[in-house]
DNA sequence: ACGTTTAGCGTCATGTTGACGATAATAGCG
DNA sequence: CGCTATTATCGTCAACATGACGCTAAACGT
């Protein structure tokens, strides 16, 4: 039997919403390979340490946050030979959605760390195959907002419907009708529950405060699909539905 | 820097539909650990081999099938210390949905291999943590049938709407109304396209043959949810003025 | 020819969705 | 103190989607 010796690491896609933008925590590498390049935070899995534990430990080291402060899940595993010039490295990536807490400084043990707007990361900018990992994480986050209540993971314990809507608009890069959005989130069983309090954010009528509800799946889901046009019962295309 | 030495393997959750049941390919282990127990097929990742390649190779070795014959995707990675008594083993699991081709015999290089109905696998019956991996694979398959056209991966190149409905009914363990199902799948843009041919399966009127369409996402999705009702004012009285 | 069986279309009541009007409740300003 | 701008929340309506189910079509066996 061939004994296959490999190094196993975890990488983290930490997402939060700051300054009305979806931001990802990146580390500035100080040493080769890829010196001075930005990379996802991560590190080796210690002997006797579970994969999720290792990821949680890295999360704590980088942000001072616990996984329970937001949402935390395994993303995918990357092991293409040559993805790390130092040798065969298999990386288990984790995805975290975090509230914009006054993080105790993102950087601690690295040359430099910073929240960077995800939209500004240009392809090829990150070290290793972290572009791909980040893209996978973003797509996962976008998709999960549709059918899970995970948008609340970006929010503090108490939030308004407008706060929640801002999360969707930021992550999906769309505009949503405030009235329809309000109807849908308050109508989805177990998504959010009122705390009783109200706040005035900036201007306008005070808004109710909510906390996350017990649901784990959204019913009905909040679809981001633009044109659900699919009824071609007869010839004579009604709309300009582009099924290209 | 701690060099973390770990063995990396791939395990496969191979699903198909045979004899009106969702079946999974299992291998009868001949050697310790877990001798004489059923386990998911799998093996070590070879040096210089990509993870997906290793999984595809195992798939070929076990079934003689190529990944393109059905659907193939990474499922999740399992690395809890102690999950393999031989040492630290991290396993990347893959999920495949395969048509019921006259497989060139499932077993080839193992003590014994067999398609087993997934519903008959009792908890604790499988070696290692393969129960968990199988459960994750089944849940993934069930979920993906909702919003992707992957049900066609269980079908041969040409199939009828009834064949497709049988896939859904088998995987979801539900009964679906043939008329509503027909309307929905033929109405979902790009899900299936008619080939022009017809067949007579057993009795009754001949059915049109279809092939899979170009869509990668179902629109609208086929939800398995029973009752989207949302007006229970129970503990936690969510909405105080919904409707009704 | 007739009954049985399955395919595929049609109808209807209800629920969901997007578009958007209307009202409520606050702050700022003259 | 009104007036206006702004945001929150409720309401209305048409289009679409869904489940329940009737009905016809096209094959088979006897």
């Amino acid at each position: 039997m061939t004994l296959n010796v490999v190094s196993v690491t975890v990488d983290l896609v930490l997402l939060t919403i700051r300054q009305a933008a979806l931001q990802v925590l990146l580390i500035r590498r100080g040493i080769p390979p890829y010196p001075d390049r930005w990379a996802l935070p991560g590190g080796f899995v210690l002997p006797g340490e579970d994969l999720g534990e290792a990821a949680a430990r890295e999360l704590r080291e980088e942000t001072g946050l616990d996984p329970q402060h937001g949402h935390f899940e395994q993303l995918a595993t990357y092991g293409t030979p040559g993805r790390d010039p130092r040798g065969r490295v298999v990386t288990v990536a984790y995805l975290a959605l975090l509230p914009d807490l006054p993080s105790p400084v993102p950087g601690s043990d690295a040359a430099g760390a910073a929240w960077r707007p995800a939209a500004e990361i240009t392809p090829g900018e990150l070290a290793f195959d972290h572009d791909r990992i980040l893209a996978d994480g973003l797509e996962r986050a976008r998709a999960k907002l549709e059918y899970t209540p995970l948008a609340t993971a970006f929010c503090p314990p108490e939030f308004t419907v407008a706060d929640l809507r801002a999360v969707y608009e930021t992550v999906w890069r769309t505009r949503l009708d405030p009235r329809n959005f309000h109807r849908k989130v308050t109508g989805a069983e177990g998504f959010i529950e009122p705390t009783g309090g109200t706040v005035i954010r900036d201007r306008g009528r005070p808004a109710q405060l909510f906390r996350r509800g017990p649901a784990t799946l959204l019913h009905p889901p909040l679809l981001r699909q633009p044109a659900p046009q699919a009824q071609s019962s007869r010839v004579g295309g009604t709309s300009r539905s582009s099924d290209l």
Side-chain angles (χ1 to χ4, degrees), chain A:
Chain A
M1 166 167 72
T2 304
L3 183 58
N4 200 2
V5 174
V6 179
S7 294
V8 175
T9 67
V10 289
D11 279 349
L12 271 56
V13 178
L14 306 183
L15 300 179
T16 195
I17 293 181
R18 293 167 73 93
Q19 301 158 355
L22 181 61
Q23 310 221 6
V24 57
L25 185 71
L26 295 181
I27 304 285
R28 185 132 206 152
R29 291 184 59 80
I31 58 171
Y34 299 99
D36 301 320
R37 294 277 285 279
W38 292 96
L40 298 174
F44 286 88
V45 177
L46 302 179
E49 189 180 40
D50 201 353
L51 299 176
E53 270 179 42
R57 174 174 54 76
E58 293 288 339
L59 172 63
R60 265 189 300 274
E61 290 176 6
E62 300 294 346
T63 68
L65 293 174
D66 276 312
Q68 70 215 43
H69 280 113
H71 171 74
F72 199 66
E73 69 176 48
Q74 197 187 95
L75 177 57
T77 299
Y78 304 82
T80 306
R83 61 179 290 277
D84 188 321
R86 290 169 295 186
R88 187 69 194 266
V89 176
V90 169
T91 287
V92 184
Y94 281 78
L95 172 68
L97 313 183
L98 304 169
D100 181 17
L101 297 179
S103 311
V105 174
S108 55
D109 70 336
W115 290 105
R116 294 273 313 276
E120 289 180 8
I121 313 296
T122 58
E125 179 181 351
L126 301 187
F128 306 105
D129 52 359
H130 289 186
D131 285 309
R132 169 90 187 295
I133 300 178
L134 173 58
D136 290 348
L138 290 173
E139 179 47 37
R140 174 89 127 245
R142 282 190 249 270
K144 281 223 160 184
L145 290 208
E146 287 193 310
Y147 51 94
T148 71
L150 285 186
T152 58
F154 285 114
C155 297
E158 299 202 346
F159 52 88
T160 68
V161 174
D163 295 335
L164 192 60
R165 178 163 49 87
V167 169
Y168 276 91
E169 294 184 334
T170 303
V171 176
W172 285 351
R173 304 172 70 80
T174 335
R175 297 249 116 215
L176 299 172
D177 183 282
R179 299 156 291 191
N180 292 337
F181 183 83
H182 188 281
R183 178 185 55 193
K184 288 171 82 159
V185 295
T186 55
E189 186 89 17
F191 190 0
I192 58 176
E193 353 186 279
T195 67
T198 60
V199 281
I200 302 169
R201 277 284 182 260
D202 186 23
R203 285 166 302 217
R205 170 175 171 178
Q208 286 184 71
L209 282 172
F210 294 83
R211 70 173 73 89
R212 66 192 314 171
T216 58
L217 238 41
L218 284 192
H219 255 332
L222 280 84
L223 301 177
R224 52 175 159 162
Q225 307 296 158
Q229 298 285 22
Q231 280 300 71
S232 56
S233 50
R234 284 297 169 311
V235 187
T238 303
S239 68
R240 44 167 187 87
S241 80
S242 55
D243 45 282
L244 313 175

